[in-house]
Amino acid sequence: MKKSLLLVAALFTAATSFAQEDFEDPTWTKTINGVVEDAEDVYVNAPLVITNQGDVVKTGTFTQAFEFAGKSLEPVAKSAYILKYDKKGNEVWGNALQGAATVTAITADEAGNVFVAGVFADKVIITSTDGQTAEINGMEDETAQVSGFIASFDKDGKLLAHKTVIPEVNWELFYTALEFEGFYMYDAQFRVNHLVASGDKVYLTARYASTCNIDDIQLAGKVLDMYGMGSFCIDLYNFAAIELDKNLGNAKLLANVQTSDEAVYGDSQMEPQDMSLAVDGDNVFVAWTGTGDLTMTTENESRNYSFEFGYDAQEHGFVVVNTTTEQAEVFHAPASEKAALVYKVADMKVFEGNIYLAGTFNGSLAFDNTLTSTGACDAYLVAINPSDLTVIWAQNSGIDEGDENKLYETVLGLEVRDLDAVSSIVNTIDMGTNTIVRSNLFAYDPEEKQVYVVTAPANYTAFSTGIAGFALNSNVDTESTLSYYADEEFTQGIETIDNSQLTIDNGTIFNLQGQRVNKAQKGVYIQNGKKVVLK
């Protein structure tokens, strides 16, 4: 196995074996303390991103004022922060979402512009490094964080654009249920769980319930009507993949997954459970999982999928679709007794022509039914051929987390480098306390067909990789520690060339996210396996 300077090499220094048990020392670490009074105010899954320039942007929550990069960040209720460090660990800028808000997804484009998305309550002030602010408003008088937001900042922290998505409760259905002395369990929400910036577009996947409008798109969430009269109703989860321009406008619906019309009556709660996406040039790939009778709508097609649904056991199938060509492939598995929360598509990437997925499952893996989970669930890594969406290889972690009625696994991120190591961070979670019991590295070498699982020295809550290195965040009580592992080749191995010198083998060039680029402009690219700067 080749030596990687990223996650796998940080765990194991030997180039041909995984013998060492400890992480190498990070390039730098930064700790934030005292920004919350209680550990329960920390959003432990707050995302972070590494830009193409090697900088790290970290998010989180705070209830106490603090200084960052010479600026005071002031909270209103439990607010959210966005902090940028340069590749040497220096504080660059910080902004706040003042009001009840949480950042749930983050990405950066090739120029270093930062895009964040999340949820908020009724009112939030977004700060900007130029001294300006913007007010966004959600559901009126709503204290729960159910409205969605997306915001963009330039590399210097100046607010560029923002957008809100406000779910609408079906009050007519609510009052109908009251007339029958029944109930309507509404759960109106719009929550972005994945963001990708590519070219001049921004892509997202979101879970929503009730009706949500984004530009000219109306997302009408499905409702389970138990008796068909509107007397006992429950909002169902739906998932959508959406394209925006860089100004966060001109929304286009790429895929929408919902409970089928025939399945919204009765007491069987059939619904999609998770969704992610990846972009490769003009192709946008979406992967999702769900159970029961579901419908996926793309630009020109609507397709029904049926996954076994019984009272004691349900099948949780997976679907991968190229939303550009509308080609789709479904993956089935035997029914399982485990709850839906263990079936996830945690991350998805395209690297050197292959699609990679990471997530969790229980029972038999839909991508390879010969692989079965240990304990409550297992993590999986899967490679898929983008031309026909068939499985190239699939592997599960085999981690025995312990008491399967108390503990389960979650996956943080996905790292693919040199095609000789595909890896993720796997956390074991205590269901009762929702705390991390331990973290593991789960890596697979497809050439050697070898699985590696190693206990990590800390409990990690966020994981991000980039061409410049990788970063890990951990939270212990009220303390949040960011560790950054730089790829020295990023700064030492860059060659500068003129546009006239640019010749690419086989006509193929890649950006720093490993995505093929049809027409290279100014920036840093991969040419014949080397990093080059195009002027």
Side-chain angles (χ1 to χ4, degrees):
M1 175 176 289
K2 301 175 185 176
K3 184 172 181 178
S4 167
L5 293 176
L6 297 179
L7 181 58
V8 175
L11 280 165
F12 317 101
T13 57
T16 57
S17 68
F18 287 85
Q20 184 170 322
E21 297 182 354
D22 299 322
F23 274 80
E24 293 178 347
D25 292 335
T27 307
W28 51 261
T29 61
K30 297 293 176 179
T31 298
I32 296 177
N33 205 348
V35 302
V36 294
E37 287 186 289
D38 302 312
E40 63 184 19
D41 289 327
V42 176
Y43 178 48
V44 297
N45 295 319
L48 55 90
V49 69
I50 300 175
T51 71
N52 287 349
Q53 294 72 30
D55 306 318
V56 183
V57 184
K58 168 186 167 70
T59 67
T61 49
F62 70 112
T63 59
Q64 304 292 311
F66 69 102
E67 296 278 337
F68 189 86
K71 177 182 177 181
S72 178
L73 298 182
E74 304 285 341
V76 177
K78 185 166 71 172
S79 303
Y81 62 71
I82 307 165
L83 311 177
K84 180 177 178 177
Y85 298 90
D86 67 18
K87 58 190 174 186
K88 295 182 179 180
N90 299 311
E91 297 179 0
V92 180
W93 56 260
N95 281 319
L97 299 167
Q98 297 173 317
T102 303
V103 176
T104 58
I106 186 171
T107 191
D109 66 12
E110 294 168 357
N113 298 314
V114 176
F115 301 82
V116 297
V119 289
F120 71 109
D122 57 346
K123 177 182 176 180
V124 162
I125 302 296
I126 307 175
T127 70
S128 176
T129 54
D130 62 0
Q132 302 298 310
T133 61
E135 179 180 315
I136 58 175
N137 294 283
M139 291 181 66
E140 189 174 358
D141 298 324
E142 178 61 66
T143 58
Q145 296 182 29
V146 297
S147 297
F149 73 86
I150 310 165
S152 61
F153 302 85
D154 70 11
K155 63 182 180 61
D156 298 315
K158 178 183 176 181
L159 179 65
L160 298 176
H162 57 84
K163 178 184 288 291
T164 58
V165 182
I166 304 170
E168 301 173 4
V169 176
N170 188 334
W171 292 113
E172 181 179 352
L173 187 58
F174 177 83
Y175 289 115
T176 298
L178 286 182
E179 292 177 3
F180 283 101
E181 296 185 351
F183 66 83
Y184 168 35
M185 190 180 297
Y186 63 86
D187 190 18
Q189 61 173 274
F190 185 89
R191 184 185 182 92
V192 175
N193 61 348
H194 200 67
L195 272 177
V196 174
S198 180
D200 60 352
K201 304 293 184 183
V202 179
Y203 303 88
L204 64 89
T205 60
R207 184 183 74 191
Y208 70 95
S210 195
T211 297
C212 299
N213 296 308
I214 179 167
D215 293 341
D216 294 331
I217 300 172
Q218 183 181 70
L219 299 171
K222 294 299 182 71
V223 176
L224 179 64
D225 188 346
M226 298 179 68
Y227 298 110
M229 301 182 298
S231 56
F232 292 90
C233 297
I234 301 172
D235 270 343
L236 295 170
Y237 284 156
N238 316 261
F239 282 84
I242 296 169
E243 173 192 289
L244 301 170
D245 63 27
K246 281 293 182 67
N247 296 318
L248 307 182
N250 296 313
K252 177 183 177 182
L253 184 62
L254 303 178
N256 190 32
V257 183
Q258 301 180 287
T259 306
S260 297
D261 290 340
E262 297 78 12
V264 297
Y265 301 103
D267 57 358
S268 296
Q269 195 165 335
M270 306 179 186
E271 57 192 353
Q273 292 145 358
D274 205 9
M275 176 184 282
S276 189
L277 62 77
V279 183
D280 183 23
D282 295 330
N283 293 304
V284 182
F285 298 96
V286 171
W288 57 269
T289 181
T291 185
D293 296 328
L294 307 173
T295 299
M296 178 180 70
T297 303
T298 50
E299 184 174 10
N300 299 304
E301 289 191 44
S302 182
R303 283 170 277 201
N304 295 321
Y305 297 91
S306 184
F307 303 111
E308 182 181 347
F309 192 98
Y311 289 105
D312 298 325
Q314 296 86 39
E315 175 191 1
H316 299 265
F318 288 75
V319 174
V320 179
V321 56
N322 182 337
T323 64
T324 306
T325 65
E326 298 185 287
Q327 178 186 13
E329 189 70 23
V330 59
F331 302 91
H332 290 277
S336 171
E337 298 178 358
K338 286 296 177 182
L341 63 87
V342 302
Y343 299 90
K344 297 291 182 182
V345 186
D347 203 0
M348 185 176 182
K349 284 183 169 63
V350 178
F351 184 79
E352 294 194 3
N354 291 338
I355 303 169
Y356 295 90
L357 303 175
T360 53
F361 75 103
N362 174 264
S364 297
L365 179 61
F367 300 102
D368 182 348
N369 289 178
T370 66
L371 300 174
T372 57
S373 62
T374 301
C377 63
D378 261 9
Y380 66 79
L381 296 169
V382 177
I384 289 179
N385 186 332
S387 63
D388 59 7
L389 303 182
T390 57
V391 173
I392 300 171
W393 56 258
Q395 191 57 58
N396 63 315
S397 62
I399 297 172
D400 187 352
E401 62 272 2
D403 186 348
E404 64 180 76
N405 296 313
K406 181 182 179 183
L407 305 173
Y408 69 99
E409 296 170 30
T410 62
V411 166
L412 295 177
L414 174 62
E415 155 78 346
V416 186
R417 191 59 58 98
D418 296 333
L419 300 183
D420 63 354
V422 183
S423 53
S424 287
I425 294 291
V426 181
N427 285 331
T428 298
I429 307 295
D430 186 314
M431 298 180 191
T433 61
N434 198 33
T435 56
I436 300 172
V437 176
R438 64 179 174 272
S439 294
N440 293 92
L441 170 83
F442 165 37
Y444 180 63
D445 177 356
E447 182 177 345
E448 300 294 334
K449 295 182 172 55
Q450 182 66 49
V451 176
Y452 303 93
V453 176
V454 175
T455 301
N459 293 338
Y460 292 111
T461 58
F463 169 44
S464 180
T465 67
I467 200 72
F470 74 93
L472 291 159
N473 198 73
S474 64
N475 290 288
V476 179
D477 295 325
T478 62
E479 186 175 273
S480 179
T481 300
L482 174 65
S483 300
Y484 181 66
Y485 298 79
D487 182 349
E488 294 180 359
E489 290 183 351
F490 178 74
T491 55
Q492 297 177 1
I494 293 183
E495 175 187 354
T496 301
I497 63 174
D498 295 327
N499 190 31
S500 59
Q501 295 176 280
L502 186 63
T503 58
I504 306 297
D505 284 355
N506 300 321
T508 304
I509 59 177
F510 297 91
N511 63 25
L512 294 184
Q513 297 168 315
Q515 299 162 338
R516 280 193 291 266
V517 177
N518 293 327
K519 183 178 180 181
Q521 300 175 351
K522 292 181 180 180
V524 184
Y525 294 91
I526 305 298
Q527 176 193 10
N528 304 331
K530 296 180 180 180
K531 304 179 187 74
V532 296
V533 177
L534 179 60
K535 291 185 174 181

